[in-house]
Amino acid sequence: MAYDKGTTGFATFHIRIARFCLSLDLPQKWSECLDGSIFAPFIFDSAGQCKLYKLVFHIIDPNSLPSPPKADIPGDGPIESFPILHLSSIQDTFDKRTSQAACRLRPHTLAIYEPSTRTMETFGFPPATPLTRLRFHGVQAFCGLFAEDDGLLVHGAGFVIDGHGGLFLGPSGAGKSTAVELLKPDRLLSDDAIAITDADGEPMVHATPLGNITDGPAEAPLRAGFFLQQGDEFKRAFSAATIHDF
């Protein structure tokens, strides 16, 4: 695993998608969770010539706060109770921000974006699944990077067949992941988040680690997009050969 160990308890990683790079400062104890993860093939020694965005994760020890109040968070599983993050717990850090900084405070996390340094710092309590937290903030960061340079980060499943790129698009539950699995393409770019560059010219689709499954870094000219709508019964509307008609 390629990363730089700092002396402040952080490890620095560089995640590259196309010509963009997200520099991550993670607590060193998180570094092990990236080994063998979906992010591992996208980690490089340096940012190279890529456009850079910095993301720093700070973990707050709930025991360091005087009896923090808690709130319930409903989700897919049983309702869990988490401490509420109060701004006073990081007041010193917040006071150092410039007047241009943007802040978003939620009950359990705080994110501060500093445009002058293109850096987002996030504060929160130790997550049960660090990769979920990383994916959530990674999507936000890469959305901003691609939007600055005639690109997009889209919610969809992407694939490559005979050097041609295609997308399955639709809302959650429409069947994007199922469709790409049944298609059996030469390469799966991602089952949930696809990067597009040169959207107004000759668009290219790129793999990302921001979904659940990917075959690793790859790219291809975008040739087709399929908008899915969930039906009452399964019906195969096209085959892999269909993409060659575009």
Side-chain angles (χ1 to χ4, degrees), residues 123-204:
F123 301 81
F125 298 105
T129 54
L131 291 181
T132 299
R133 177 87 61 86
L134 177 56
R135 184 179 293 114
F136 174 77
H137 290 291
V139 166
Q140 294 178 322
F142 276 112
C143 276
L145 277 170
F146 279 92
E148 292 178 5
D149 197 50
D150 194 23
L152 297 166
L153 187 66
V154 298
H155 179 204
F159 56 89
V160 179
I161 296 176
D162 291 340
H164 302 283
L167 296 175
F168 289 127
L169 303 169
S172 296
K176 299 182 295 295
S177 298
T178 301
V180 78
E181 180 181 356
L182 292 171
L183 186 63
K184 300 186 184 305
D186 296 333
R187 195 165 188 88
L188 173 62
L189 299 176
S190 174
D191 69 330
D192 199 56
I194 295 297
I196 301 176
T197 55
D198 302 316
D200 290 333
E202 296 292 333
M204 298 284 292

Side-chain angles (χ1 to χ4, degrees), residues 3-6 8-13 24-29 31:
Y3 67 92
D4 301 322
K5 287 186 177 180
T8 58
F10 284 90
T12 299
F13 299 82
L24 298 173
D25 281 358
L26 301 177
Q28 287 189 11
K29 61 182 179 181
S31 62

